[in-house]
Amino acid sequence: MFSEPPILTLKNARLTFGVKPLFVGLELNILKGDKICLVGRNGSGKSTLLKILSSVIEADEAELFVQPGIKISYMPQEPDCLEYKTLRDVILSGLDKYDPSLEYKADILINEFQIKEKQSPEQSSGGEIKKAMLARTLISEPDILLLDEPTNHLDIETIEKLEDLINNFCGAVVVISHDKMFLNNVSHKTFWLDRGLLYTNNKGFKFFDEWQEQILEQEIIAQKYLNKKIDEEMEWLHKGVTARRKRNQGRLRRLEALRQERREQIKQTGSVNLEIETGELKSKMVIEAKHIFKAYGDRELVKDFSIRVMRGNRLGIAGPNGAGKTTLIKLLTKKIEPDSGTVRMGKNLTEAYFDQNRITLNPKKSLWKTLCPSGDHIWVRGHWRHVVAYLKDFLFKPEQAEALVSTLSGGEKNRLMLAVALAQESNFLVLDEPTNDLDMDTLDLLEDVLDEYEGTILLVSHDRDFMDKVATSVLYMKGDGSIYEHVGSYSGLLEKLKNMPLKKESKNLKSEIKTPSYDKPKNMTKLSYKDKRLLEILPHEIEVLEEKIKEIEKLLSEDVELYTREPKKFDELTQSLEQAKQDKELKENLWLEIQMKADEVCK
């Protein structure tokens, strides 16, 4: 049986920056339907490779073959959208040739990603621009998607939509991302770019650590067999991978102990009465907020929120973009005042704040001078370190110490910013989206540093895996001002939120239809009349909605001039289509849950 030929092939690719080649003799194949993650250290050439595959740049030498008729769409890591007036214009620029009859495609994507289409890129957040660029990449209906750090600045809801989109995408996808859980969920093949060589594994990222260690062990054996000096960096890599796997187990045990400690603290202070002032609690208190409220205009970001943060707590803050996460951090650290309520901070707090927008690097300074303006030693967490040794902790080579900041890649600059922030003497660390653009090795390094950190941590991140490994509890901000604390992992919180019953006031269904709980009441011996009735009528209602969806989709696809001829009718149809899809999904879920309950009754 013959395998299907690749839709893209790259052979003998060579590219040199300066005197050192980035890669030589690189080869790869992309098959239809491939879901590939491209991993490797920052500076290894991942983004450059995507640019070669998309023909944005040319290699010094390469044979690039793309099957005729195959369309490639590329989303860069740092897009430049300032030439466009609105985010809608950004999305439409993804069409091969502008055609008014194709604007409905933009409307569908705008609705799917909830994009503020009339907003200018200049006034848009990183998350809004990222969503617009994703829509721009998809609007041309490509056969190959090349995505460079697509999850940066996106909230969890949008990341999950992107995961579904990639998994249901018929074409091929090559994605670079630091978000390990995202890569676990979307990849079925792995490209590893390491020191100029590309390794291929026909398994997804969840198998990467084990596969990487096997390759490094084979390389060590091969070099010893050839009686050659083992490459120092390669040996360090192998030791780092092996040690990291062992450390992860100890780190997990320590984190669970800290989570149990947080549970006990919440029990001790009580969930309602925060007036308790025992001597021990008072001495360990870092932040105490009582009934704080903050609004901007009519928008309530934080309402009636109380919490006591103790020394050593690692508090994660999560929620959709715009929910008020950064505002909450500023309230808790007293950088802004609440409209009502009080915030009190403990004594002798020394804060270090990491925010990629706040730490600025001088491009004309060397890495050495950035960290150590005079001399050759730096004071780090209680003891002196030689600046070169400290840079090695952050995966910089000794020869890079004298290099200018301007020569670093985006990920390497983030590594240096982390080194600057974590060198500050502190017992209270505030991290606002620290994981953007970091490679896997740097994320592991950061997890190690935070595991050893003895102070208190406030952390904002959309990276589920990173939050799982760092936070003892998570504050979830829904976006309506309410805040819920979950002691445990971020993944556990998300699972809990997904299983929560829908609110009665759902706009998508009649008020009398609400989602029942999965839990079976102890005294339940049969279904209620209402559930029996819903079990009978829901299949018909779902069938009616399916027909409605087909009719609207047929109208939109056949009448391509509807948007320009009758824009109001087009808007009504697209809104009806989205509403029908939402209602169908809710009714299907409702039917499934009642059926599960019926199955339980029959047991």
Side-chain angles (χ1 to χ4, degrees), residues 39-42 178-180 205 208-210 212 236-237 239-249 251 393-395 415 418 422 434-435 437-452 463 465-466 469-470:
V39 299
R41 276 197 195 171
N42 283 337
H178 66 272
D179 187 328
K180 296 179 183 179
F205 181 76
F208 175 70
D209 281 345
E210 184 180 347
Q212 179 193 35
W236 173 85
L237 261 175
K239 287 178 180 176
V241 170
T242 305
R244 181 173 69 226
R245 293 180 73 187
K246 291 178 181 177
R247 282 198 308 272
N248 282 345
Q249 299 304 313
R251 191 189 290 159
D393 285 350
F394 287 82
L395 311 179
R415 248 192 273 160
L418 273 174
L422 295 172
T435 62
D437 302 323
L438 297 183
D439 59 23
M440 304 299 175
D441 288 332
T442 312
L443 278 171
D444 289 324
L445 164 74
L446 182 56
E447 287 167 10
D448 281 347
V449 171
L450 297 181
D451 182 54
E452 295 169 3
D463 189 319
D465 183 77
F466 182 75
K469 291 176 179 175
V470 173

Side-chain angles (χ1 to χ4, degrees), residues 491-529:
S491 298
L493 167 65
L494 292 173
E495 196 61 36
K496 184 178 286 189
L497 290 171
K498 285 177 184 176
N499 290 331
M500 280 185 178
L502 295 169
K503 285 191 174 182
K504 190 175 180 179
E505 61 267 23
S506 172
K507 296 178 182 178
N508 299 314
L509 289 175
K510 294 178 181 180
S511 60
E512 68 268 23
I513 301 178
K514 66 177 182 178
T515 306
S517 170
Y518 278 102
D519 297 330
K520 177 185 175 184
K522 292 180 181 178
N523 59 352
M524 187 182 75
T525 56
K526 61 180 181 178
L527 288 179
S528 66
Y529 171 79

Side-chain angles (χ1 to χ4, degrees), residues 295-313:
Y296 290 105
D298 296 332
R299 181 125 186 265
E300 297 177 339
L301 291 177
V302 177
K303 57 184 181 184
D304 195 25
F305 176 62
S306 300
I307 193 170
R308 178 177 267 148
V309 181
M310 311 303 292
R311 192 172 68 226
N313 287 164

Side-chain angles (χ1 to χ4, degrees), residues 552-564:
I552 297 173
E553 287 179 337
K554 186 178 179 182
L555 276 171
L556 290 172
S557 62
E558 289 180 350
D559 192 352
V560 293
E561 296 180 357
L562 180 63
Y563 178 83
T564 51

Side-chain angles (χ1 to χ4, degrees), residues 74-272:
Y74 163 66
M75 189 184 83
Q77 183 175 338
E78 297 179 358
D80 183 7
C81 307
L82 297 182
E83 62 181 288
Y84 302 102
K85 289 184 179 179
T86 66
L87 294 179
R88 184 181 183 86
D89 293 334
V90 172
I91 298 165
L92 290 171
S93 70
L95 292 169
D96 298 327
K97 185 179 179 182
Y98 175 70
D99 183 344
S101 67
L102 297 178
E103 287 207 19
Y104 76 92
K105 293 183 178 181
D107 291 310
I108 292 170
L109 290 165
I110 286 165
N111 188 58
E112 176 69 21
F113 288 110
Q114 296 295 297
I115 298 168
K116 299 172 182 175
E117 56 173 316
K118 296 179 181 178
Q119 197 164 274
S120 71
E122 195 172 355
Q123 296 174 330
S124 300
S125 67
E128 283 297 325
I129 289 174
K130 197 63 111 174
K131 289 194 290 185
M133 286 302 296
L134 276 170
R136 179 187 185 277
T137 307
L138 294 164
I139 195 171
S140 63
E141 299 180 6
D143 302 287
I144 301 176
L145 276 175
L146 304 176
L147 305 175
D148 195 348
E149 293 288 1
T151 63
N152 276 1
H153 309 294
L154 295 184
D155 57 32
I156 185 62
E157 184 180 349
T158 310
I159 290 172
E160 288 181 337
K161 283 183 181 179
L162 180 59
E163 288 176 352
D164 290 340
L165 187 149
I166 290 174
N167 287 324
N168 295 322
F169 184 65
C170 295
V173 180
V174 183
V175 60
I176 298 170
S177 178
H178 66 272
D179 187 328
K180 296 179 183 179
M181 195 171 293
F182 172 74
L183 293 182
N184 284 344
N185 293 341
V186 302
S187 64
H188 306 140
K189 183 186 284 189
T190 304
F191 288 164
W192 177 31
L193 189 56
D194 178 52
R195 292 164 291 155
L197 299 175
L198 187 75
Y199 301 91
T200 301
N201 186 25
N202 290 320
K203 291 182 178 180
F205 181 76
K206 64 181 69 174
F207 301 98
F208 175 70
D209 281 345
E210 184 180 347
W211 173 61
Q212 179 193 35
E213 188 168 359
Q214 289 172 356
I215 290 174
L216 292 173
E217 282 178 347
Q218 289 168 4
E219 190 171 343
I220 285 177
I221 292 168
Q223 287 187 333
K224 284 182 177 178
Y225 180 76
L226 293 171
N227 199 27
K228 291 182 178 180
K229 181 180 180 296
I230 297 174
D231 180 79
E232 186 179 323
E233 183 187 5
M234 193 277 298
E235 188 174 16
W236 173 85
L237 261 175
H238 176 251
K239 287 178 180 176
V241 170
T242 305
R244 181 173 69 226
R245 293 180 73 187
K246 291 178 181 177
R247 282 198 308 272
N248 282 345
Q249 299 304 313
R251 191 189 290 159
L252 205 61
R253 288 191 294 270
R254 173 173 158 76
L255 189 57
E256 188 49 49
L258 289 170
R259 284 173 178 159
Q260 185 57 39
E261 185 179 325
R262 180 62 183 164
R263 290 186 189 98
E264 294 302 321
Q265 288 169 356
I266 291 173
K267 286 180 185 177
Q268 197 169 355
T269 57
S271 58
V272 179

